């Protein structure tokens, strides 16, 4: 403090002198921001097509470190940087064919959810057992992101990065919320263990209760995952079925493939007939059911007799019912539809996609977006309508649940098919509009998680790759390359038992959201009481 001169008649006044900021402090000032962004990138690297699932733990450990004890403003910014580091590279495929505008807009919106979670994590970071509250807050953020805006966008759920990880069996216990919670809890627990070790080195002591909670936060998820392995089985409960997944390929990459819809149909019919010839030659087992991808027959077979004839010929050649992905128009409305085509009876059942993709299959805020960029409205000239009922086809002796492409990201859309009696799940997809990006691998990982979650074989027929057959334990037994015509044929188990995750449905997610709310309420209450105490002392 220094004494400064004052005017005559005025008492001397003490003014604080600014403490010089050391060069080291200036250099370290950007460290939390850089660490937040880089830990987000680390989380992205843990996702497919890489098998580095374990990197999610140090990613959340660093995230916990940068948020601990921060003000809400700092936490908001650091959380947003973490979200950008994670989502910018993860979702880059959304701009492959339409330019960076939609990709950047999507990431900017989705990162807001992560930023708000960051504020909550900072708020609870000084509570006892804070990793539990913080991990629950992350799952609450995922729950919100899966529902809004525009009916949600769950892509990037932590569970979807764990298809190769030791935590995967937890999907059968409580679905994606429990699986994701375990991963995030372990990450925050890892940071707490490191923090307490460093504190002990510095002070020579540490609270036993805090050390116990830290170790349990790290160990319990691993133990629960090990115990949950008993829920995972690929045993046939209702016999087996020989399934064929057809990948016909497309004439060209990108959005332009839609300009040759008849060619896409012909490609899938040709690959099916090629497979039929191999069956007749005794090279391949005869399939009981055949699964075509989404958009494999975008020429409406109900309105175009020539398209119907192509499908009918293929079904008769293979001698098995085909689930065909078509675009059909009824009463002036468009539907992304799966059609069950019997070789003798023709079309017998249909399923209309319920979770349609915003900005891909319908355009929210059409007039506003058209005013910004008319090219975007031209790409989605007519909105698709939503289906209203689950789709379970009776194919040969199997009940096949249909989960069309984007729907695989939504917990309810997959569970509803299993509850409705599906013994096998098919995820017909079209990834041709995303070129050779990571999108197809990310979606394939989702299907692997769903296989374990509901203990069902999952088939993934895709127009241009990667198509795959996944066992109920999440293992891929066959897969194709990208942008090649191919078919996969395999005898797979049919199952009808329900996992705890299937029976519980949304309840684990609700429970974790309530835990998050309880922790946040505790932290806010503690802050208010501390503020009152400080006021009383002053």
């Amino acid at each position: 403090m220094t004494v400064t001169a004052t005017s005559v008649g005025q008492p001397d006044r003490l003014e604080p002198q600014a403490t010089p900021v050391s060069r080291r402090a200036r250099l370290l000032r950007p460290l939390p921001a850089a660490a937040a962004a880089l830990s987000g990138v680390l989380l992205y690297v843990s996702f497919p097509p890489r098998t580095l699932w374990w990197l999610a733990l140090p990613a959340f450990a660093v995230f916990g470190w940068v948020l601990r004890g921060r003000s809400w403003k700092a936490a908001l910014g650091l959380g947003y940087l973490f979200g950008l580091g994670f989502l910018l590279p993860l979702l880059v495929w959304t701009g492959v064919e339409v330019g960076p505008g939609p990709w950047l807009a999507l990431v900017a919106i989705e990162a807001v959810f992560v930023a708000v979670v960051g504020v909550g994590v900072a708020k609870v970071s000084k509570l006892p057992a804070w990793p539990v509250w913080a991990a629950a807050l992350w799952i609450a953020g995922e729950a919100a992101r899966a529902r809004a805006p525009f009916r949600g966008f769950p892509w990037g759920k932590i569970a979807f990065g764990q298809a190769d990880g030791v935590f995967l069996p937890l999907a059968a216990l409580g679905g994606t919320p429990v699986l994701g919670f375990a991963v995030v809890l372990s990450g925050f627990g890892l940071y707490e263990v490191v923090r307490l070790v460093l504190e002990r080195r510095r002070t020579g002591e540490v609270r036993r209760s805090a050390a116990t909670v830290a170790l349990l936060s790290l160990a319990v998820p691993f133990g629960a995952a090990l115990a949950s392995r008993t829920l995972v089985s690929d045993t046939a409960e209702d016999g087996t079925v020989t399934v064929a997944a057809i990948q016909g390929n497309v004439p060209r990459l990108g959005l332009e493939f839609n300009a040759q819809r008849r060619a896409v149909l012909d490609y899938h019919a040709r690959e099916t007939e090629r497979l039929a010839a191999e069956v007749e030659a005794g090279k391949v087992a005869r399939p009981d059911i055949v699964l075509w991808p989404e958009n494999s027959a975008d020429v409406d077979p109900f309105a175009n007799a020539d398209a119907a004839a192509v499908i009918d010929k293929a079904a008769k050649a293979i001698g098995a019912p085909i689930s065909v992905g078509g675009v059909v128009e009824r009463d002036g409305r468009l539907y992304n539809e799966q059609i069950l085509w019997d070789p003798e009876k023709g079309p017998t059942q249909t399923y209309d996609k319920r979770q349609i993709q915003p900005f891909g299959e319908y355009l929210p805020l059409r007039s506003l977006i058209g005013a910004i960029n008319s090219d975007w409205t031209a790409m989605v000239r007519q909105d698709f309508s939503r289906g209203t009922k689950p789709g379970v086809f009776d194919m040969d002796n199997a009940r096949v649940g249909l989960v069309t492409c984007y729907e695989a990201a939504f917990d309810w859309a997959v569970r509803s098919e299993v509850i409705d009696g599906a013994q096998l799940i098919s995820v017909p997809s079209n990834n041709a509009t995303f070129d050779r990006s990571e999108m197809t691998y990310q979606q394939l990982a989702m299907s692997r998680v769903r296989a374990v979650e509901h203990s069902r074989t999952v088939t993934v027929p895709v127009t241009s790759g990667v198509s795959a057959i996944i066992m109920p334990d999440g293992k891929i037994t066959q897969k194709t390359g990208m942008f090649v015509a191919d078919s996969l044929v395999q005898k797979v188990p049919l199952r009808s038992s329900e996992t705890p995750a299937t029976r519980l449905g949304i309840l684990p997610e609700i429970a974790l959201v309530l835990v998050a709310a309880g922790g946040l309420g505790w932290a806010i209450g503690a802050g208010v009481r501390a503020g009152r105490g400080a006021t009383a002392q002053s």
Side-chain angles (χ1 to χ4, degrees), residues 2-23:
T2 58
V3 179
T4 58
T6 59
S7 58
V8 177
Q10 296 293 324
D12 291 345
R13 179 162 51 90
L14 297 179
E15 291 185 353
Q17 186 178 43
T19 303
V21 180
S22 69
R23 184 171 181 272

Side-chain angles (χ1 to χ4, degrees), residues 91 93-94 106 110 145-149 151-155 406 410:
L91 302 179
W93 52 266
T94 59
L106 174 64
E110 294 297 307
R145 202 158 60 84
R147 290 165 173 82
R151 302 202 178 194
F153 187 75
W155 218 278
Y406 182 60
F410 293 83

Side-chain angles (χ1 to χ4, degrees), residues 36-93:
L38 290 174
S39 60
V41 174
L42 192 64
L43 182 58
Y44 154 71
V45 174
S46 75
F47 271 65
R50 294 156 297 276
T51 58
L52 303 174
W53 58 271
W54 52 271
L55 285 178
L57 274 63
F60 277 103
V62 175
F63 192 42
W65 168 67
V66 299
L67 291 176
R68 181 174 173 80
R70 298 285 179 182
S71 69
W72 74 267
K73 289 182 180 179
L76 189 71
L78 292 169
Y80 198 75
L81 287 172
F82 181 81
L84 292 179
F86 172 44
L87 295 170
L88 271 171
L90 186 81
L91 302 179
V92 68
W93 52 266

